[in-house]
């Protein structure tokens, strides 16, 4: 159908042809702007200020760690490694680092294995006290660890586990399990049970079907739970302070506390120790950040 031409006030106007797409409506005054219409400085400025506010403490710690003693320069030049050498060799941070690594890895393995078994039971089996058990897991998150120090100390003393890294591993695992079980349970619920049933039909046992079919799909959730357990046990101070009294059994958080004297503080050594303590955590999150976000989001919501 041809378009009609009309003349008005000496100008020609072409009427739109039938079937042509309607013109986009004009934006009303006060209408919310689209994201593409927002000036970039309104996005980058707040993010830059937040990033600056976050990185300044780390820069300050790194500055004291590599700056010579007595220097007041805001630029780390000339740099020195004397503070790192002091805390690593003279203040036994090599031993503290090894103990923290043992506690962190052991807590990671224990928490992941137990949470995997408990989460599978909650996700795949129905039993009478299932609701009450889930409620107990949630309520346990409101109990501060400090309230359990006395009973845990008595239990470990009777088991002759005081001054043993195993006592810290058990305590850390117990306090990490409720949240870990809930996350793993939510993640397993997102795996269709029909996949396991198909493996059962093919002759697999329940354990074999879980190991070959379900377990590979749980990688993001396992990484999230394991990394959270490792970081928490690496940074936790209270259990290591109460259950470990011998210096060769202490962990990095307790070792950092020994650098703070009653009358003075060696800021260079303390900053160097803080850098040593932060490096493993930064490396862990740098490599698993993608899996961490995926695991927590998938375990928190049932699809």
């Amino acid at each position: 159908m041809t378009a009609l031409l009309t003349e008005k006030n000496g100008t020609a106007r072409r009427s739109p042809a039938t079937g042509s797409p309607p013109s986009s409506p004009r934006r009303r005054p006060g209408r919310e702007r689209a994201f593409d219409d927002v000036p970039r400085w309104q996005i980058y400025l707040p993010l830059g200020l937040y990033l600056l506010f976050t990185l300044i403490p780390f820069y300050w710690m790194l500055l004291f760690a590599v700056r010579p003693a007595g220097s007041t320069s805001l630029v780390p030049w000339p740099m020195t490694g004397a503070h790192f050498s002091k805390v690593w060799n003279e203040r036994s941070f090599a031993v503290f680092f090894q103990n923290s690594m043992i506690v962190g890895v052991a807590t990671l393995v224990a928490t992941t294995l137990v949470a995997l078994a408990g989460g599978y039971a909650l996700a795949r089996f129905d039993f009478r006290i299932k609701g009450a058990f889930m409620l107990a897991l949630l309520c346990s998150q409101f109990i501060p660890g400090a309230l359990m120090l006395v009973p845990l100390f008595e239990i470990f003393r009777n088991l002759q586990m005081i001054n043993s890294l195993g006592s810290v591993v058990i305590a850390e695992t117990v306090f990490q399990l409720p949240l870990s079980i809930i996350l793993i349970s939510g993640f397993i619920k997102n795996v269709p049970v029909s996949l396991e049933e198909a493996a059962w039909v093919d002759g697999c046992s329940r354990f074999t079907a879980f190991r070959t079919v379900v377990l590979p799909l749980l990688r993001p959730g396992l990484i999230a739970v394991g990394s959270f357990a490792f970081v928490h046990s690496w940074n936790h101070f209270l259990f290591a302070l109460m259950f470990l009294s011998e210096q060769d059994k202490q962990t990095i958080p307790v070792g950092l506390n020994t650098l703070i004297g009653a009358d003075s503080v060696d800021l260079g050594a303390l900053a160097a120790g803080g850098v040593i303590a932060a490096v493993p955590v930064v490396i862990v999150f740098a490599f698993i950040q993608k899996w961490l976000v995926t695991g927590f989001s998938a375990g928190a919501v049932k699809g």
Side-chain angles (χ1 to χ4, degrees):
M1 180 179 179
T2 60
L4 301 179
L5 297 177
T6 59
E7 297 290 339
K8 185 176 181 180
N9 297 330
T11 60
R13 177 181 300 174
R14 183 179 297 274
S15 300
T18 304
S20 61
S23 59
S24 58
R26 294 182 179 179
R27 182 184 301 165
R28 297 179 181 177
R31 183 180 177 183
E32 185 178 357
R33 293 182 299 176
F35 177 79
D36 293 337
D37 297 336
V38 178
R40 287 293 181 261
W41 69 268
Q42 295 185 10
I43 301 174
Y44 295 141
L45 180 60
L47 292 178
L49 293 176
Y50 176 76
L51 182 63
L52 182 65
F53 179 79
T54 305
L55 294 180
I56 282 179
F58 292 98
Y59 175 77
W60 201 253
M61 180 177 64
L62 185 62
L63 177 65
F64 275 92
V66 300
R67 190 174 65 179
S71 175
T72 58
S73 174
L74 296 180
V75 179
W77 189 262
M79 294 188 295
T80 178
H83 300 306
F84 291 96
S85 178
K86 180 179 180 180
V87 297
W88 190 261
N89 298 319
E90 299 179 13
R91 297 302 185 95
S92 302
F93 259 67
V95 178
F96 299 156
F97 188 91
Q98 179 181 352
N99 294 337
S100 291
M101 190 62 66
I102 293 174
V103 170
V105 173
T107 303
L108 183 155
V109 174
T111 302
T112 303
L113 292 179
V114 179
L116 190 61
Y120 183 85
L122 290 177
R124 290 292 190 255
F125 298 100
D126 291 325
F127 46 93
R128 182 171 300 178
I129 62 171
K130 182 177 179 179
F133 183 74
M134 289 290 294
L135 181 62
L137 288 179
L138 292 174
C139 292
S140 65
Q141 297 300 295
F142 298 99
I143 302 177
L147 295 180
M148 305 300 295
L149 284 178
V150 174
L152 284 176
F153 187 87
E154 288 297 321
I155 293 174
F156 292 142
R157 185 175 63 85
N158 293 331
L159 295 175
Q160 297 182 356
M161 294 185 64
I162 299 298
N163 290 323
S164 171
L165 295 178
S167 61
V168 181
V169 172
I170 294 175
E172 294 289 352
T173 302
V174 168
F175 278 88
Q176 292 297 313
L177 277 178
L179 179 61
S180 301
I181 291 176
I182 293 173
L183 288 175
I184 291 294
S185 174
F187 200 86
I188 293 177
K189 288 179 182 178
N190 290 331
V191 179
V193 69
S194 59
L195 297 178
E196 291 183 84
E197 293 174 347
W200 298 342
V201 171
D202 292 338
C204 295
S205 63
R206 180 179 290 273
F207 177 77
T208 304
F210 172 77
R211 179 175 57 84
T212 58
V213 177
V214 180
L215 190 59
L217 301 177
L218 300 180
R219 183 182 301 175
L222 295 178
I223 293 176
V225 169
S227 60
F228 188 77
F230 175 83
V231 172
H232 186 273
S233 61
W234 179 273
N235 294 326
H236 205 193
F237 171 77
L238 194 58
F239 291 153
L241 178 66
M242 293 300 298
F243 303 147
L244 305 174
S245 58
E246 297 179 1
Q247 184 175 0
D248 60 343
K249 297 296 181 63
Q250 293 174 348
T251 57
I252 280 186
V254 182
L256 289 173
N257 185 60
T258 61
L259 298 177
I260 303 176
D263 300 325
S264 62
V265 178
D266 190 346
L267 294 179
L270 186 62
V275 172
I276 294 174
V279 166
V281 178
V282 173
I283 293 176
V284 168
F285 277 104
F287 280 98
I288 67 167
Q289 56 179 342
K290 179 182 69 174
W291 300 103
L292 189 64
V293 174
T294 305
F296 276 119
S297 59
V301 180
K302 179 181 178 182

